[in-house]
Amino acid sequence: MNDPTASPIVLFDGVCNVCSSAVQFIIRRDPAGRFRFASLQSEAGRELLLRHGLPADRIDTIVLIENGRSYTRSTAILRVVRGLKGAWPLLYGGIIIPRPLRDGLYRWFAANRYRWFGQRESCMLPTPDIRRRFLE
């Protein structure tokens, strides 16, 4: 895969336990390997944030880069589940809920995630079999 931006890219907080679990969840439900990943703390993650006009120190949201556009918070999550195997795409129907309501819930959860689920000392290290899906 020559152009890493040709596939949808999920940027995630690499030290967040919930975020790292979410990446594993996506990987298991994306057997075709459509989604690529980078932690927000990585050089690739910071570069993509800046390229899309987002602050490089932003770690309070998941970001989806897809077809040259960036999506954050609840919209990013809904667009990701739309691309997963199984019944998960049905959750995309939640897009009809007004974004301020969806994002308000997202912000509340994000503000409490470290307290509720903890965080890692360092970013998640992908196993060799999925390493190709992570941007360097």
Side-chain angles (χ1 to χ4, degrees):
M1 192 173 293
N2 294 339
D3 180 7
T5 61
S7 297
I9 301 168
V10 176
L11 303 179
F12 67 100
D13 179 355
V15 298
C16 169
N17 285 331
V18 172
C19 304
S20 294
S21 294
V23 168
Q24 295 300 320
F25 177 89
I26 295 166
I27 289 169
R28 285 191 303 273
R29 287 154 185 86
D30 178 29
R34 180 174 173 254
F35 290 98
R36 308 272 317 267
F37 304 92
S39 78
L40 291 163
Q41 294 88 346
S42 70
E43 186 65 35
R46 288 191 303 273
E47 182 182 310
L48 284 165
L49 288 171
L50 292 172
R51 189 182 310 167
H52 287 272
L54 299 169
D57 59 348
R58 177 180 225 151
I59 59 166
D60 65 339
T61 183
I62 186 172
V63 178
L64 174 67
I65 309 288
E66 184 178 41
N67 298 322
R69 295 193 56 199
S70 63
Y71 303 92
T72 60
R73 298 183 183 85
S74 62
T75 303
I77 290 172
L78 290 171
R79 291 183 71 89
V80 167
V81 297
R82 184 173 68 171
L84 300 180
K85 180 180 170 193
W88 295 104
L90 295 174
L91 292 177
Y92 186 74
I95 201 79
I96 65 170
I97 299 169
R99 187 171 53 182
L101 291 175
R102 289 185 281 118
D103 282 352
L105 182 60
Y106 183 97
R107 282 186 182 96
W108 172 76
F109 184 87
N112 292 290
R113 65 196 160 124
Y114 290 149
R115 186 165 26 123
W116 294 338
F117 300 100
Q119 67 187 86
R120 301 165 185 253
E121 291 293 318
S122 61
C123 291
M124 173 184 121
L125 294 173
T127 59
D129 60 321
I130 61 169
R131 187 176 310 273
R132 65 176 178 77
R133 296 181 65 182
F134 286 77
L135 304 179
E136 297 292 325

